[in-house]
Amino acid sequence: MSQTEYDSYPPLFRPRRSPTLPSPDSDDFFNQQVPDFDPVPVIDSECINQKKLDEACREWGMFRLINHGIPLTLLNKLHDHAKKLFSLAYESKQASFTPPISYFWGTPGLTPSGVVIQRDVRAQNFNWLEGFHVLLTPLSQLQYEDPMLDSFRCLLEEYGRQQTRLATTIFEALAKNLQLDSERTRAYLSTATGHLRVHRYPCCFEAEQLRAWGIDVHTDSSVLSILHEDEVGGLQVCSNNQWFDVKPQFDSLIVNLGDMMQAMSDDNYIGAKHRVKVNKHKERISVGYFVLPYEDTVIESSKYKPFTYADFRAEVQRDLKTVGYKIGLQKFKLSETF
């Protein structure tokens, strides 16, 4: 990568000196390799094993979805377009995108429209990522004069339709295991809220010195999140207080449960605690789909005070602005005080 190519990076992510690539036989090179072992439970979308799904949600809050039905041609085109757009100059990305597709960097903390939430200045530790926040519902009303941007929009629309299909199927299986009544099942998943985050994790040549993470430890605020990633790797999940590397597999998806699913299940299912490592010498591209409950639906649980997603989101935004990180479900615990 030449120095001019770093012009696509946000200014704070650009190397202060020309990086030296490791030799193939160096320890540092092998430390960047993807894991051979994959610990994440596997669920077949064509024939969901309810018992295996239940175990995965109780022990991991995450599972790998195979036979998902999304064409590999669509996945390849989406990643190719994302790479080309991320390679544009930083200033161009800032100027070219407005909602329902917006550009951001340095933080996953955004409002529903994609505006960055300004955090407490005492907690300004940047996440080593940039991305496009995509609202799916109004996407069809948008047209770009630039053929590349409009082609990207069309790919996002089709990918969003595929994700809506999968999220509905998965949630119905989860609701069956949890014996949720039909009324709550309908109210607890609003596919109209579905949105995408397309992430690039730039190379970070001084990762140890900067103590940089692509995304630091967190749980998602969603009901479900569905991730597709390239083959670089970096995703880690915590299970039983131990961190595991998730092996990247381009033909599969990673599904993780969010805070809303944990509350709906009375803590029987866990919101997956996860994070993303940066890579010194390889960029990583991922596409995440996030789906929420209806805004005014009251989440009923024996573990938490009744709340709506709007209540939860307001608390999260307040936390980010005041303490610099998400407290999340603990704010609503019946036994907790703050």
Side-chain angles (χ1 to χ4, degrees), residues 35-42 64 245-249 254:
D36 293 324
F37 168 70
D38 183 44
V40 180
V42 177
R64 184 179 301 281
D245 289 308
V246 178
K247 184 177 181 179
Q249 295 181 9
I254 293 294

Side-chain angles (χ1 to χ4, degrees), residues 93-294:
K93 286 179 286 194
Q94 283 194 312
S96 299
F97 293 92
T98 55
I101 302 178
S102 53
Y103 171 77
F104 65 95
W105 69 275
T107 175
L110 308 176
T111 67
S113 63
V115 176
V116 171
I117 300 171
Q118 296 300 322
R119 301 185 180 214
D120 178 4
V121 293
R122 294 168 298 176
Q124 274 298 3
N125 51 334
F126 294 107
N127 288 267
W128 208 267
L129 84 166
E130 61 176 342
F132 301 113
H133 178 80
V134 183
L135 302 175
L136 289 170
T137 299
L139 201 57
S140 61
Q141 302 166 19
L142 178 70
Q143 282 194 321
Y144 288 105
E145 293 183 4
D146 185 316
M148 173 62 73
L149 296 183
D150 206 55
S151 179
F152 187 52
R153 176 191 63 81
C154 292
L155 290 169
L156 291 169
E157 266 197 282
E158 175 56 27
Y159 188 71
R161 284 191 287 269
Q162 296 279 355
Q163 292 296 314
T164 297
R165 169 183 62 82
L166 288 172
T168 302
T169 299
I170 294 165
F171 186 72
E172 288 175 351
L174 296 173
K176 181 179 179 181
N177 275 346
L178 294 170
Q179 298 182 329
L180 298 180
D181 59 57
S182 58
E183 183 177 345
R184 282 201 288 175
T185 299
R186 285 192 300 270
Y188 277 178
L189 189 80
S190 169
T191 54
T193 66
H195 60 276
L196 300 175
R197 295 271 185 91
V198 185
H199 286 153
R200 177 172 78 162
Y201 299 87
C203 302
C204 183
F205 308 103
E206 299 174 288
E208 293 94 347
Q209 297 93 316
L210 297 173
R211 297 184 180 180
W213 284 91
I215 298 182
D216 211 341
V217 181
H218 69 287
T219 58
D220 291 342
S221 296
S222 58
V223 177
L224 295 173
S225 306
I226 306 177
L227 177 77
H228 185 261
E229 59 177 333
D230 63 16
E231 296 174 334
V232 172
L235 177 64
Q236 294 185 320
V237 61
C238 185
S239 179
N240 293 317
N241 296 315
Q242 183 178 352
W243 284 100
F244 296 89
D245 289 308
V246 178
K247 184 177 181 179
Q249 295 181 9
F250 195 81
D251 60 351
S252 68
L253 302 169
I254 293 294
V255 180
N256 67 266
L257 309 186
D259 298 324
M260 297 301 99
M261 192 72 245
Q262 178 169 328
M264 292 169 187
S265 72
D266 288 336
D267 286 353
N268 288 306
Y269 289 173
I270 57 174
K273 187 185 295 184
H274 56 291
R275 63 189 182 188
V276 178
K277 296 186 295 184
V278 291
N279 193 301
K280 288 185 178 181
H281 308 293
K282 295 179 182 178
E283 297 175 351
R284 175 177 180 264
I285 301 287
S286 68
V287 185
Y289 170 82
F290 305 85
V291 64
L292 309 168
Y294 286 92

Side-chain angles (χ1 to χ4, degrees), residues 107-110 117-121 123 315-327:
T107 175
L110 308 176
I117 300 171
Q118 296 300 322
R119 301 185 180 214
D120 178 4
V121 293
E315 284 294 332
V316 169
Q317 292 186 10
R318 189 177 297 112
D319 292 340
L320 292 176
K321 292 175 181 178
T322 56
V323 298
Y325 58 90
K326 182 180 88 172
I327 296 174

